[in-house]
Amino acid sequence: MAQKENRNESGKDDCSTEEGGREKKPELNTTFADHFEPSERESALYQLWEKSGAFSFDAPVSEESGSSTKDPFVICMPPPNANGELHLGHSYGYSIMDTLGRYHRAQARPVLLLPGKDHAGIQTQVVFENRLRATGRDLSTSTREQLYDECYAFCMDRAQYMRAQEKQLGLSADWEREFFTLDPRLSNVVFETFVRLWDDGLIYRGKRIVNWSVLSGTAISDVEVDRKEVEGTLTYIRYPFASPVTAPKFKEIDLPEGSQLLSAGGGLWVVVGRQEITAATVLRQGEGVDSSLICVEAAKLSKDSAVKKVLSELSVPDEALQVAQALSQCVAAGGGFIATLVAQFDPSEGLVTATTRPETMLGDTALAVHPKDPRYAHVVGAAVVVPLIEREVKVIADNRVEIAFGAGVVKVTPAHDFLDFDIGETHGLPVIQVIGTDGRMTEEAGAYKGLEARECRKRVVADLEAKGLVEKIEKIVHKVPIAERSKDIIEPLISEQWFVAVDDKKHSLKGRALELLQSGKIDIHPPHFRKEFEHWLKNLRDWNISRQLWWGHRLPVWYRDQAGEMETKVSIEVPSGDGWRQETDTFDTWFSSGQWAFTTLAACGELDMQTGKAAKGAFPSECMVMGRDILFFWACRMLLLTAYRMDEVPWKSIYFTGLIRDEHGQKMSKSKGNGIEPGEIIKKFGSDALRVGLLFGTTPGNDVNMGEGKISGYSKFINKLWNAAKLLQMRTLGDCQSACPPPAQIRSDAAVWIVAEVCRVRAHVRHLMDTYQLGQALSELYGFTWDTYCDWYLEVVKVLTKESASPDTAALAELRWAAQYSFGSLLEMLHPFLPFLTEEIYQQLPGLGTAPTLCQAAWRPDPKQVSFESASGQRSTDAMVRVIEVVKAIRSSKVSLGGLGSGIRVALNTDPLSEEGERLVQELGRVQLVKPAEISADRAVAQVFARGVILFDHPDRAGFATKLSKEATSLEENIERLEKRLASDFAARAKPEVVAVEREKLQVAKQTLSRLSEELKALAR
């Protein structure tokens, strides 16, 4: 903030004139109320900001900053779904983004917080269709175009409502640049990207496995799939061999002496002992084991073996406590061996596989086993018969099979399971689809054709049982994929869709994205998310970008029948000629929102898509803030598509937020009733309290626990700051209409001390904010405001502004300047976190700065005066620190000396204090300072502290000595008791933590006794 010198016509310094101050402020409050009332003030303050034009990217910045050379700070903010309202997660993200925006605006950087709303594809279509059905509307009577237009109007209405919520939170976005993802200006760029990908051979149409929502009739992305825990069954089905198979012979041994045979769960057994058991060895005996066990994995243990690592490598569950204990004992004894065992199988009865979806067996094209599983090594390549459908399929070996799951054999149905599809591609298996897009069995299902899939499951199991091919059925609890919006169970199935090839040999999209990520051009907060980011990119599969919806961007693909041949053209405009019809599929929402980083800036004229140049330097944007839960679904796709279109990163840094949980750390949900509605909290406590509650102490990537009590607690901080402003108005700033000029010389210890403290805090806060440590910056400001500023500086102000018959006008001028500078600086630093309260105070105290609003004010520079020396030649900052330490020592000593009251006489044996310092010590310590000789020996009690000695004129020195003597005797007895206890067998019998507590008690008692002894010696002199 500019510190302009204001002078009246006589040329004398005068801080009461309006000349040189900021523009006349609008009609706000003229006097401080008892409390800041958010519900009455926040709306007016937001209107003030909007009217000032402070949020515009084109807004002028501070003339003093030289900001024309500064890079802009830009966030293309994540667009919330335009079909509902904001939740607490949105409020959290917005609080971070707005805090960053307001901070960088205060550093005199051009700031653009670019807002928007997302059309949200299937989510919006489901919400809108349900609304129409609730009114009795028959959707089949409406055309696609009618539904689209009505839904567009619905989204615009919801967007307006959500915008009001965003403004309620204080979001300082450039609303003139707000975009909807279906805005034609953005859509044209999205279509251009698709056409380019097509021309580069990176788009193809093909049949692959997808998540299919039967109820919605469309493929959906992984992010639109929830995992719901349900009760189900695991059916063990027997597949007969097409021709007889001879059982192999294995080495057989008895359970070695001293070995432990332990159940590890799920049909898995473990032997831990001193004798080596090699793979493919059969144990003939074992207590509690019904059949022979064969060793499938073995490992040697040494003293350096990590138990968890061994458990993990041998597929043994970590929760198998007995196994872990046995391993630890073996390691402690000097080593040994561990072997993982599973039950043998009888080849005469075929292979047994377990499945939760028996109906899909009708589409099986193989059975698979692990290549290292000795039980089945001899049957790899053999043929088995798929029951009921009587299809012969091969047994294959694949590393992706889990030895310990079920019987170690999995059925492979490439058309109805993602892993099976991958296995099928690896081994060239046929793909047989037995469940259709309508959720019913297809013609390939034979006699079960037309049955709904769940009904078919019952029939298949019944028929298998009738043939004696069901070994057993277990009741289990497992997770099934559920469509997030329609809530139906997802069917993985083969569907003809449009895909982006992400790892094409000629042009690898994910390869280029990885290069940019690994180049270090993107700072990631928290840093350890970089590995996860790279992992997602490396494992990215070809991306299904088409959806069978009427709501969204319709693919720019055209078809027509030319002499019996289907002609296809990809074009934004309708191709020339007759007979063309457009593809009915729409883009996956993530395809359009994945281009948000450049479509938005291009649409508002800040980015030239042809040259990649941004005149104001808005691209790449400075930062992106998003929840860690959409790292894969959005961050990866944004980097992928921006790297493709712009050959650049979308943002210079990315800040991942954690999730908002309730005060007990549980996930918030409507069913639990533990959610918090932001609007209700704002109505009750105000936006500032909500923002502080969301941001205080938070760190990137970590979850935040929230409860109403937490927010209520931070509202007390708001009251504290408000009361500080009231006090300063009454004592120093009430008639000051503009910034006071800095004094020619600073004599006041308190003035220089508080300004120096503010400068120190500002430097630290600036570092924290620049490194995205927002939560720590707020914690620093919170502690400084509460402890240093309010508890100490304001008390100093009270003392130094007490009415006097002959006031020192120069001293008062210093005090006023220091109050203006320090409190103005404090408001500037707090403004990004508490925008409404700080703005209200700024408007109430016009002398705090020259900018029309605090939102537009740049942080003021450090004044040279903080290094001035006082008249005594001492560093004033040190002098004030000494005063505080003396006052603290006096206060604590008065309590320990028997609760001495006010006015007690005290003598100091410390470095000398200035006249101001002595005044502060007497007032704040509530003592009377005298010379040591004025306190008689029979009343003197000395108290030692870090700075020296304080001599108290004690009214009952003898009584105090008696009291200390009794305390010392009691301590000696307690020390004797503790030493005897610790010398007994107690130390061997008790828990280590209990013994540690007792030792700590003994140490504290000895230290206290030593201090009391010194005090008693002093009293005896």
Side-chain angles (χ1 to χ4, degrees), residues 351-386:
L351 290 176
V352 175
T353 182
T355 178
T356 59
R357 305 172 67 210
E359 70 280 8
T360 62
M361 68 168 292
L362 303 173
D364 286 353
T365 54
L367 293 186
V369 297
H370 195 281
K372 290 186 178 180
D373 193 333
R375 293 173 295 177
Y376 305 118
H378 63 293
V379 300
V380 173
V384 294
V385 178
V386 179

Side-chain angles (χ1 to χ4, degrees), residues 147-205:
L147 290 172
Y148 183 94
D149 291 342
E150 290 179 37
C151 192
Y152 201 103
F154 162 72
C155 285
M156 291 301 97
D157 178 70
R158 296 310 300 169
Q160 185 175 0
Y161 171 71
M162 294 168 74
R163 189 180 309 120
Q165 290 182 298
E166 291 161 339
K167 291 182 177 182
Q168 187 182 33
L169 190 66
L171 184 59
S172 58
D174 188 342
W175 299 110
E176 295 297 319
R177 286 175 164 86
E178 184 176 19
F179 285 107
F180 182 47
T181 48
L182 291 179
D183 185 305
R185 292 171 293 177
L186 273 70
S187 298
N188 286 336
V189 182
V190 171
F191 293 143
E192 285 175 7
T193 300
F194 179 82
V195 173
R196 289 194 181 195
L197 286 165
W198 171 266
D199 291 342
D200 286 343
L202 301 177
I203 293 281
Y204 65 91
R205 194 182 189 199

Side-chain angles (χ1 to χ4, degrees), residues 584-753:
T584 57
D585 285 358
T586 58
F587 283 131
D588 170 22
T589 303
W590 300 102
F591 184 73
S592 57
S593 62
Q595 301 178 58
W596 185 253
F598 56 86
T599 56
T600 49
L601 294 172
C604 66
E606 296 297 341
L607 175 64
D608 187 329
M609 290 299 296
Q610 302 305 315
T611 64
K613 301 296 183 182
K616 297 180 188 175
F619 178 84
S621 60
E622 184 71 25
C623 179
M624 171 54 69
V625 178
M626 69 174 69
R628 69 159 193 260
D629 53 329
I630 57 172
L631 184 158
F632 172 61
F633 306 106
W634 197 29
C636 283
R637 283 158 170 74
M638 287 183 82
L639 180 55
L640 195 80
L641 291 172
T642 307
Y644 171 69
R645 278 303 304 265
M646 311 303 299
D647 195 29
E648 182 57 278
V649 297
W651 1 257
K652 299 172 187 175
S653 59
I654 184 166
Y655 183 110
F656 288 107
T657 67
L659 305 179
I660 301 292
R661 299 185 179 275
D662 70 11
E663 54 194 339
H664 304 296
Q666 295 182 343
K667 188 176 181 180
M668 290 184 175
S669 68
K670 290 182 179 179
S671 59
K672 291 179 181 177
N674 62 345
I676 294 177
E677 205 284 301
E680 293 300 317
I681 290 295
I682 291 174
K683 189 182 299 181
K684 193 168 183 179
F685 301 108
S687 294
D688 288 336
L690 175 60
R691 289 168 66 121
V692 173
L694 288 167
L695 296 178
F696 190 90
T698 58
T699 54
N702 289 329
D703 293 349
V704 179
N705 290 0
M706 282 293 293
E708 189 171 307
K710 180 180 180 182
I711 299 167
S712 174
Y714 290 123
S715 66
K716 296 176 183 176
F717 176 67
I718 291 169
N719 290 334
K720 188 81 170 177
L721 193 62
W722 182 255
N723 288 333
K726 286 169 60 180
L727 185 144
L728 289 174
Q729 183 200 42
M730 290 186 294
R731 292 300 183 100
T732 62
L733 305 178
D735 62 344
C736 196
Q737 295 300 306
S738 59
C740 296
Q745 181 183 15
I746 296 184
R747 299 171 300 168
S748 168
D749 296 336
V752 175
W753 165 74

Side-chain angles (χ1 to χ4, degrees), residues 519-575:
S519 70
K521 296 186 74 172
I522 302 174
D523 290 328
I524 298 178
H525 309 277
H528 65 266
F529 272 34
R530 182 178 297 277
K531 287 185 178 179
E532 188 173 348
F533 204 159
E534 291 181 2
H535 171 78
W536 278 113
L537 277 173
K538 289 175 182 176
N539 291 278
L540 194 62
R541 305 156 60 104
D542 284 3
W543 173 16
N544 169 22
I545 60 169
S546 54
R547 300 291 179 264
Q548 292 64 56
L549 303 170
W550 52 259
W551 176 243
H553 294 94
R554 197 168 175 180
L555 269 67
V557 179
W558 308 85
Y559 307 102
R560 70 173 175 181
D561 191 341
Q562 285 286 84
E565 294 290 329
M566 186 60 66
E567 185 179 0
T568 301
K569 281 201 173 182
V570 173
S571 168
I572 298 176
E573 303 297 334
V574 182

Side-chain angles (χ1 to χ4, degrees), residues 59-110:
V61 294
S62 170
E63 297 176 3
E64 295 185 1
S65 66
S67 59
S68 59
T69 61
K70 285 195 174 184
D71 292 334
F73 182 84
V74 177
I75 299 180
C76 298
M77 299 189 296
N81 298 341
N83 57 30
E85 55 187 303
L86 301 183
H87 52 64
L88 203 60
H90 292 125
S91 299
Y92 181 34
Y94 279 143
S95 294
I96 291 173
M97 288 181 275
D98 187 60
T99 297
L100 287 169
R102 288 179 184 268
Y103 164 72
H104 286 286
R105 197 177 285 120
Q107 308 312 305
R109 294 179 68 179

